Amino acid sequence: MNTKIKNIIFDLGGVVLDIDETVVYKELEKLGLKTSELAHSKEFIEIMSKFDTGIYTAPTFRKKMKALIGQEKMTDQKFDSIWDAMLLDIPHERIEALEKVKKHYKIFLMSNTNVIHYDLYVRDLQLRFGYNEFDELFNKSYFSFAEHLEKPDPRFFELILDHEGLLPEETLFIDDTAANIKVAKSLGIKTYHISRDELVRNLFVNGVLKEGVV
């Protein structure tokens, strides 16, 4: 066991929760949208950032995004079904792995997410696994819309370190995005850049980090 690591911060999408953003774009393409242009547009990025950091409420986000894609008459239910299509599954094996890891380390969740997605996967967590909130599975969960900060802003990492009294050199951050990994490293946090085809449970043996992960 790597005794230097006492705390592990997990990303949500692509690490704990399986996601596929392309599903949303495919649904939008059915409406005749050129998603390659949309995803890189300044307005799209700004709307997304303000929603993910809790500046925009869900109704405001829906209104602005519908206007941007020219679908003002789309029902909220239809819009949410398209928006939620990227959220796939939290495998049972992953929950079981996290439960084992928690016996050996303090574990935290750090996610760039929004209230529409949050409501869906918390409901899934409740119905399938019996946890009312992610705070019951993790020692503490941090969501961008609640903290008004998003990765890779270093202040988001510093907030968690400060609130939890964590030492960077004793903390491992697992994420699938290079920009987030880079910022965590700059703060002295140990990191593991996991790819989408890797399984996070394979980084552990009976809840303990494998040699060589850090």
Side-chain angles (χ1 to χ4, degrees), residues 8-19 89-91 93-95 97-98 108-110 138 151 173-177 180-181 192-204:
I8 303 176
I9 302 173
F10 293 87
D11 176 33
L12 179 60
V15 177
V16 175
L17 170 74
D18 288 335
I19 60 173
D89 184 35
I90 304 177
E93 296 83 359
R94 209 162 292 165
I95 297 295
L98 288 169
F108 304 92
L109 187 64
M110 181 186 193
F138 293 85
K151 295 176 288 184
F173 173 60
I174 302 174
D175 196 282
D176 64 333
T177 302
N180 300 335
I181 292 292
Y192 186 85
H193 187 186
I194 193 169
S195 65
R196 285 285 178 92
D197 59 355
E198 283 186 274
L199 298 177
V200 70
R201 68 174 185 269
N202 290 344
L203 303 180
F204 303 87

Side-chain angles (χ1 to χ4, degrees), residues 76-118:
D76 289 348
Q77 184 179 10
K78 175 64 175 177
F79 179 85
D80 286 1
S81 70
I82 292 175
W83 189 243
D84 287 338
M86 71 174 73
L87 307 179
L88 303 181
D89 184 35
I90 304 177
H92 280 273
E93 296 83 359
R94 209 162 292 165
I95 297 295
E96 291 171 357
L98 288 169
E99 290 170 339
K100 291 179 181 178
V101 173
K102 193 178 181 182
K103 295 177 181 179
H104 301 277
Y105 309 89
K106 287 184 178 180
I107 64 173
F108 304 92
L109 187 64
M110 181 186 193
S111 175
N112 285 355
T113 195
N114 55 78
V115 293
I116 294 177
H117 285 169
Y118 175 84

Side-chain angles (χ1 to χ4, degrees), residues 5 168-174 184-185 188-192 214:
I5 297 298
E169 63 272 19
E170 295 178 349
T171 304
L172 173 65
F173 173 60
I174 302 174
K185 279 185 177 179
I189 299 169
K190 304 298 182 182
T191 63
Y192 186 85
V214 182

Side-chain angles (χ1 to χ4, degrees), residues 121-170:
Y121 48 65
V122 166
R123 186 164 64 249
D124 188 45
L125 192 72
Q126 293 170 344
L127 295 176
R128 296 178 59 218
F129 303 107
Y131 289 102
N132 290 317
E133 298 284 350
F134 278 96
D135 281 352
E136 294 181 4
L137 176 60
F138 293 85
N139 289 92
K140 179 67 177 175
S141 53
Y142 290 86
F143 298 99
S144 60
F145 73 86
E147 304 301 337
H148 307 298
L149 292 167
E150 62 182 340
K151 295 176 288 184
D153 189 332
R155 293 177 299 172
F156 198 179
F157 293 91
E158 290 168 343
L159 179 146
I160 297 174
L161 294 176
D162 181 56
H163 279 199
E164 303 299 335
L166 310 181
L167 296 177
E169 63 272 19
E170 295 178 349

